[in-house]
Amino acid sequence: MEIINGKEIPKRSLKRSLIVFIGNVLGIYLIAYLELGVQVSQFGSITLLVLFISLVNAILWPVLTRIAMPFLVLTFGIGTLILNGLLLQFFAPLFGITIHGGAIILAPVAMAAVTTILSALITINDDSSYYRAVLRDAEKKRKADIKDYPGLIIVEVDGLAHKVLCEAVERGDMPTVKEMIDSKEYNLRMWETDLSSQTGASQAGILHGNNEGIVAFRWIEKSNGNQMMQCSGITKVPELEQRISDGNGLLVDNGASRSNLFSGDTDNVIFTFSKIMDFGKLYNKAWYSVFSNPSNFARIIALFLGDIIREIWSQITHSIRNVRPRIKRGIVYIPTRAATNVFMREINTSTLIGDMMVGDVDVAYSTYLGYDEIAHHSGVRDSDAWIALRQMDQQIKHLIDANKYSPRDYQFVIQSDHGQTNGATFTQRYGQTFEDFVKSLLPKDMTVFAKMTSNDDHFVGDYTPFARKNKKIQKEKEEAKELSDSEVIVLASGNLAMIYLTQWSHRLTYEELNTYFPELIPGIVNNEYVGFILVRSQEHGDMAIGKNGTYYLDSDEIDGENPLEGFGDHIVRHLKRTSSFEHTPDILVNSFYDEEADEVCAFEELVGSHGGVGGDQSKPFILYPSSWNVSDDEIIGAENIYKLLKENLAELKK
């Protein structure tokens, strides 16, 4: 084993090299056999071509990728397949082989796919050749003096509740995390989100220490011309970050943001939504770790296609088995799932490893979206979700293994931003959408605008190569016009719903609501699938109203049955804070929670949901080094996760 500066140098693996060689040969042969653009005179010529291309790649690939890097980044890696295919096409005639048409891309993908399958069958998970390639480039970027204090890598597993994590560990689906916990070198804690248990509120609190005013996934601002603000959208998120940032975000001091909603006040960003419109920040040297090996991106595409097949099979089997609850996932969701669960996952891990190999970044924060996306559509504990967690555990292992070779030590934090709670939707249970239900309680001549989806915080479509940004901006403008013409606006955020009566510029009181719309509050409260509503009374202040009782939050008095029973020990605190926000709706609605079945009902069409309270959606986790100084007190609210991370990050530098 070669050691430099106390760190291992990744060794060459003959077994891995042999598998790659065989996989490449079989991949080209497969495309030729299927007559997809490769013509071969004899099988032996493929072997000679693969040997020759391996030699050429070893010499030319580092140079070619450095020259073509902007092209590779702007095409989101597709350029890598083209470049690799062109090399094959150029040299193939020397061996009596012709490659043309779609085979320029199909051949590299097939080579990577067969190699990946063979590696899995023979249980080879040796990434030493990849680490060597990344390390080789990193040494050229590295500063002369290696920092003498550890860095920090923060991995966010989007949507994973503390309880579900523990179940995955017990099932054996997350052996790397189990090893971290069992080693006693890490402490696992549950923490509690704010009322708005969704990525926007949580990441604002974690990355900027401020989620004040974020009512839900989206909300209406009456004082701002009934503008709809939301935790997605290519113009909304940058504006939201400007509001919450004081310039002292978690990543402000030499940090890196990878696939996050907000930047944490760093400019070292990849797939960071708040800076999506700044194309100058798209090109980042950390991308080199994705393209350092000619087959690496082809492997990602092969895994991407494999996940598409897995999702198609999942939809078929769920239908045959009549899995309940179940929603219609549709065709569009298939590539969306693969993009979040595979493409962005692999990009995250590759760029984080690149950051570690250079060793300059002090703190990196990266969001892995796959589990959350799958749990929304398949279910929190569906077999699809367990598979996603097994794959996530492998990413954590890759990062920890990379620490063996990085020039400085890195500590790790694994955490989530919220959880999810399962359950059939409001529409499935009641037979009517929540929007239509609200309409039935209002005068028939009132114009209603509704937006009942909140799962577009995963923003995959906005990263599509050559996406039509102008069209998206125009769509936002058209939506704003529709909003301004509406008298009632109904929004959903998981099992949390908001009702705004926009003819009035102020938040209507309980008394005013009953005067103007006498059927509205009684109708909502008495719906069997509503847990409670939050309104503000002119006489009593903030009130949580249920079917059989009212909680007067300001005086801490209850009339009748407690409507907040079963929604957590801190629910009053969360409701009072949310009610203090400037843009809290006239009526805030939270669905029922069935504690025995552990179910809520989302007001949007998702099996697993989050956004309000009820069950594990408010109970994420944090796994941090046991050497850290962390109070034993309960961790309540995302802003306190920011404080925990910020304080211990400062300690690392001492």
Side-chain angles (χ1 to χ4, degrees), residues 31-253:
I31 299 299
Y33 179 79
L34 296 175
E35 298 182 353
L36 296 175
V38 175
Q39 295 175 338
V40 181
S41 57
Q42 53 183 344
F43 183 80
S45 59
I46 298 178
T47 304
L48 294 175
L49 174 62
V50 170
L51 285 170
F52 183 77
I53 286 295
S54 299
L55 180 61
V56 169
N57 279 333
I59 298 171
L60 294 181
W61 191 259
V63 178
L64 290 173
T65 50
R66 190 164 285 106
I67 295 172
M69 184 62 69
F71 171 67
L72 303 183
V73 172
L74 291 174
T75 58
F76 290 80
I78 301 302
T80 310
L81 300 178
I82 297 172
L83 186 59
N84 208 0
L86 288 174
L87 284 174
L88 284 169
Q89 185 184 47
F90 182 79
F91 291 109
L94 298 177
F95 302 90
I97 300 173
T98 59
I99 298 176
H100 57 85
I104 291 177
I105 289 180
L106 287 176
V109 172
M111 293 161 70
V114 175
T115 299
T116 302
I117 293 170
L118 288 177
S119 297
L121 291 175
I122 306 176
T123 64
I124 292 179
N125 194 19
D126 182 359
D127 294 311
S128 57
S129 61
Y130 167 74
Y131 289 133
R132 287 183 71 91
V134 177
L135 187 60
R136 182 177 60 237
D137 180 71
E139 288 171 343
K140 299 172 185 175
K141 300 175 185 175
R142 191 176 300 149
K143 296 179 180 178
D145 297 327
I146 304 298
K147 296 177 181 178
D148 59 0
Y149 56 88
L152 177 63
I153 303 295
I154 306 170
V155 172
E156 178 188 301
V157 187
D158 190 14
L160 180 58
H162 175 270
K163 185 176 181 179
V164 179
L165 170 76
C166 293
E167 290 176 21
V169 168
E170 287 300 313
R171 284 169 48 93
D173 290 323
M174 303 191 78
T176 305
V177 173
K178 184 179 190 303
E179 186 176 338
M180 295 172 74
I181 297 170
D182 291 346
S183 71
K184 306 300 183 183
E185 294 179 5
Y186 290 87
N187 289 340
L188 176 64
R189 297 272 300 276
M190 183 183 77
W191 64 278
E192 187 172 314
T193 68
D194 304 282
L195 178 68
S196 180
S197 56
Q198 49 88 24
T199 301
S202 289
Q203 281 204 357
I206 294 169
L207 288 170
H208 291 277
N210 177 21
N211 60 11
E212 187 78 15
I214 300 180
V215 181
F217 174 74
R218 58 170 63 91
W219 62 93
I220 298 299
E221 300 185 345
K222 288 188 176 184
S223 61
N224 196 12
N226 290 331
Q227 171 185 270
M228 184 169 69
M229 197 65 186
Q230 60 188 33
C231 301
S232 71
I234 59 178
T235 62
K236 300 298 185 183
V237 175
E239 180 183 345
L240 188 54
E241 180 166 305
Q242 288 181 354
R243 295 185 186 185
I244 63 173
S245 173
D246 64 357
N248 189 35
L250 182 66
L251 309 178
V252 66
D253 294 324

Side-chain angles (χ1 to χ4, degrees), residues 534-545:
L534 172 67
V535 292
R536 175 168 288 169
S537 166
Q538 187 173 355
E539 180 181 356
H540 301 289
D542 294 328
M543 299 165 56
I545 305 175

Side-chain angles (χ1 to χ4, degrees), residues 235-236 470-484:
T235 62
K236 300 298 185 183
N470 292 335
K471 187 175 182 179
K472 295 176 186 297
I473 294 172
Q474 180 62 32
K475 186 177 179 181
E476 288 186 11
K477 290 180 179 178
E478 292 172 359
E479 190 174 74
K481 175 67 169 60
E482 190 177 353
L483 282 164
S484 66

Side-chain angles (χ1 to χ4, degrees), residues 546-610:
K547 293 173 183 57
N548 302 309
T550 300
Y551 199 127
Y552 298 97
L553 302 180
D554 292 356
S555 61
D556 199 29
E557 295 178 354
I558 300 172
D559 181 16
E561 296 179 10
N562 181 2
L564 302 180
E565 186 71 33
F567 287 99
D569 296 338
H570 306 287
I571 182 61
V572 173
R573 165 181 171 178
H574 293 315
L575 289 175
K576 290 178 71 173
R577 181 174 186 254
T578 297
S579 191
S580 72
F581 293 164
E582 180 182 356
H583 304 298
T584 300
D586 300 306
I587 304 175
L588 187 146
V589 185
N590 198 92
S591 85
F592 85 112
Y593 172 57
D594 183 337
E595 195 166 1
E596 184 175 340
D598 191 24
E599 288 186 347
V600 297
C601 70
F603 296 112
E604 51 190 330
E605 293 307 295
L606 295 174
V607 176
S609 69
H610 58 89

